[in-house]
């Protein structure tokens, strides 16, 4: 990546993680996986603020001075009366303040307008997220980190929930307060050559901005439009072996809960990754093996072609972990239900002529894009980028979407076969040094539905950030970004479901306040 691009993106992403995750990176959390001694990052470094100075190590008392008239006697006296001799390679200096406490308070408010819905009936939510962490690092070679999370939405009624998964980071926030464990890990090294991290942690793979098919180790997909990635971590044992002379890194990982709890030895999964630097190109190669899931391999890269930075990733597996569904060509699920309904008896979804099948051969997922950073004034730069995603296990049309919802397989941003995005970033334009703008346009090319979103963030105070966004949805009605549903009463087994009517969304807006301490 070119120096100009790196500086521009770093300045923008320090306060706005819309294009990249703002959650602590592995380097921030672990203090870097380098055997060289490094300063302890404080809570400001963990949450994106300017790092404060690290606490100083305990100073050793000076040796007692015993005045004598003879140099040899003086040396003997110092050896007898002074502190015991120590071997710097066998001891570790403990810090005076080994425990840091901090957290995050994140308050948001969202509203969404739907076609034909009055202003008074427009949906509203106010999800709240509170993080608190304990960061213990008694020496430079030992660290423990715990981050707990409290979430709830006072605007959501108890027991209520949306039938349609939105894919947003707030879709799973309930009305009642909910406690979650985001991270809990212990890190140490063996001879400063092997770096081991055990526990619930974040490990993100892949180089793309919006679609990360090689992000194998996270149980949930990332919401590409969220300003903050609120996914919780996965429990694993990670062993990192750096090759410092080459700048290469190798990882071996044991997975304990990525595909369900590993309550037997046979359910423990394994993963491996190699990261190689060749000139201006960074390459990554990884593989994952787990019982109950297809073996997966991945490849990712990032490089510079003059002023343009390119990136991409490929995920490959044979077949699919979940079945796919075929609806009779040219017939929507609503029309199909109406055709089979007779005598006023609600049709049974299980009896519909919808075929479940598993695809044959390999099912690749490929994403890639390019960014260009340029100066438009003496002191200001802008970044523009494009990205494309091909999903072989997606659907060419929106006909199967309602059935996917009933089967619990509706995965936003991964429904279609073809996606594309265009985005632009202005970081601190003109005299607005503490304000960032991001304009993103995402489209599901398979069902021809689109969304355009403008995000604005402003650092109002040292610890306070203010966020706002507005988004519009347009394109084919019934597509992913303009999803609509009109179903008569149906039966699913013995349960009778009432008619379901979902109006397509037209516009969303939201504001947020975030305090990081």
């Amino acid at each position: 990546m070119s120096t100009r691009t790196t500086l521009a993106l770093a300045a923008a992403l320090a306060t706005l993680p819309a294009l990249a995750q703002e959650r602590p990176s592995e380097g921030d959390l672990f203090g870097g996986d380098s055997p060289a001694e490094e300063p302890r990052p404080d809570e400001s470094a963990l949450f994106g603020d300017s790092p404060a100075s690290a606490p100083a190590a305990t100073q050793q008392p000076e040796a007692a001075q015993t005045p004598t008239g003879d140099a040899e006697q003086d040396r003997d006296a110092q050896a007898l009366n002074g502190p015991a001799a120590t071997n710097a390679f066998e001891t570790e200096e403990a810090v005076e303040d080994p425990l840091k406490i901090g957290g995050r308070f994140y308050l948001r408010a969202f509203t969404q307008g739907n076609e034909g819905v009055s202003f008074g009936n427009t949906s509203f939510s106010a999800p709240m997220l509170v993080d608190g962490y304990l960061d213990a690092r008694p020496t430079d070679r030992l660290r423990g980190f715990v981050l707990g999370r409290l979430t709830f939405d006072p605007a959501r009624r108890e027991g209520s929930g949306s039938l349609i998964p939105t894919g947003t980071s707030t879709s799973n926030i309930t009305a009642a307060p909910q406690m979650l464990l985001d991270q809990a890990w212990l890190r140490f090294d063996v001879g400063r050559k092997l770096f081991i991290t055990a526990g619930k942690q974040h490990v993100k793979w892949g180089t793309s901005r919006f679609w990360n098919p090689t992000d194998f180790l996270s149980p949930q997909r990332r919401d590409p439009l969220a300003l903050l990635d609120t996914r919780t971590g996965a429990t694993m044992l990670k062993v990192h072996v750096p090759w410092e002379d080459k700048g290469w890194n190798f990882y071996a990982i044991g997975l304990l809960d990525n595909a369900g709890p590993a309550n037997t030895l046979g359910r423990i999964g394994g993963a491996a990754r190699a990261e190689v630097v060749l000139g201006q190109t960074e390459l990554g190669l990884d593989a994952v093996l787990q019982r109950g899931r297809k073996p997966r391999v991945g490849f990712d890269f990032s490089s510079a072609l003059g002023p343009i930075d390119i990136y991409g990733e490929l995920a490959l597996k044979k077949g699919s972990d979940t079945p796919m569904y075929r609806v009779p060509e040219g017939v929507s699920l609503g029309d199909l239900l109406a055709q089979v309904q007779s005598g006023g008896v609600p049709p049974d979804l299980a009896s519909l002529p919808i075929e479940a099948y598993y695809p044959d051969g390999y099912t690749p997922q490929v994403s890639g894009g390019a960014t260009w950073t340029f100066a438009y004034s003496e002191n200001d730069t802008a970044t523009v980028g494009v990205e494309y995603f091909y999903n072989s296990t997606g659907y060419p049309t929106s006909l199967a979407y309602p059935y996917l919802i009933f089967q619990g397989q509706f995965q936003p941003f991964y429904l279609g076969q073809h996606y594309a995005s265009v985005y632009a970033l202005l970081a601190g334009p003109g005299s607005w040094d503490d304000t960032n703008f991001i304009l993103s346009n995402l489209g599901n090319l398979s069902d021809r539905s689109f969304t355009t979103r403008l995000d604005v963030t402003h650092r109002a105070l040292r610890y306070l950030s203010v966020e706002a966004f507005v988004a519009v949805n347009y394109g084919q009605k019934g597509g992913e970004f303009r999803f609509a549903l009109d179903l008569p009463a149906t039966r699913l087994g013995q349960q009778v479901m009432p008619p379901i009517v979902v109006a397509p969304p037209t516009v969303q807006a939201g504001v947020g306040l975030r305090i990081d301490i």
Side-chain angles (χ1 to χ4, degrees), residues 66-121:
T66 305
T68 64
D70 184 84
E72 183 175 353
Q73 292 179 354
D74 183 65
R75 184 171 60 250
D76 293 340
Q78 289 186 20
L80 293 174
N81 300 326
T86 60
N87 187 334
F89 293 97
E90 297 178 355
T91 62
E92 302 174 16
E93 301 294 346
V95 299
E96 294 181 352
D97 184 13
L99 180 64
K100 293 296 182 181
I101 301 175
R104 167 185 290 131
F105 178 80
Y106 196 22
L107 179 62
R108 292 160 289 174
F110 299 116
T111 184
Q112 174 176 289
N114 293 77
E115 188 176 291
V117 178
S118 65
F119 178 81
N121 292 323

Side-chain angles (χ1 to χ4, degrees), residues 70-285:
D70 184 84
E72 183 175 353
Q73 292 179 354
D74 183 65
R75 184 171 60 250
D76 293 340
Q78 289 186 20
L80 293 174
N81 300 326
T86 60
N87 187 334
F89 293 97
E90 297 178 355
T91 62
E92 302 174 16
E93 301 294 346
V95 299
E96 294 181 352
D97 184 13
L99 180 64
K100 293 296 182 181
I101 301 175
R104 167 185 290 131
F105 178 80
Y106 196 22
L107 179 62
R108 292 160 289 174
F110 299 116
T111 184
Q112 174 176 289
N114 293 77
E115 188 176 291
V117 178
S118 65
F119 178 81
N121 292 323
T122 299
S123 64
F124 174 78
S125 63
M128 181 181 297
L129 181 149
V130 180
D131 284 343
Y133 70 80
L134 301 175
D135 183 10
R137 192 168 182 177
T139 73
D140 68 324
R141 300 177 64 183
L142 179 64
R143 186 177 184 185
F145 187 88
V146 177
L147 191 151
R149 174 168 296 165
L150 169 67
T151 65
F152 85 104
D153 188 345
R156 178 171 295 180
R157 291 180 299 176
E158 187 68 34
S160 67
S162 174
L163 173 69
I164 313 302
T166 62
T168 65
S169 55
T170 63
S171 59
N172 59 350
I173 294 182
T174 61
Q178 183 179 15
M179 294 295 299
L180 301 171
L181 179 63
D182 179 41
Q183 300 178 63
W185 47 261
L186 177 67
R187 177 184 181 267
F188 58 94
D189 69 78
V190 178
R192 298 187 184 270
K193 296 184 181 297
L194 295 179
F195 297 85
I196 301 174
T197 307
K200 195 174 180 68
Q201 55 191 288
H202 291 288
V203 178
K204 180 183 176 297
W205 293 346
T207 55
S208 296
R209 304 291 187 190
F210 294 106
W211 293 279
N212 293 115
T214 64
D215 191 13
F216 295 142
L217 301 188
S218 178
Q220 306 92 26
R221 291 289 191 181
R222 180 174 65 92
D223 178 4
L225 292 175
L227 294 180
L228 179 68
D229 188 359
T230 58
R231 297 177 298 171
T232 56
T235 305
M236 61 187 76
L237 174 66
K238 183 179 72 171
V239 179
H240 173 209
V241 181
W243 187 354
E244 289 190 64
D245 294 338
K246 293 285 189 178
W248 297 1
N249 295 280
F250 303 92
Y251 301 89
I253 298 175
L255 303 173
L256 302 182
D257 66 0
N258 186 265
N263 52 2
T264 63
L265 292 178
R267 296 191 63 86
I268 297 177
R273 177 173 171 84
E275 297 175 348
V276 177
V277 178
L278 299 175
Q280 295 187 356
T281 302
E282 298 181 6
L283 306 174
L285 183 64

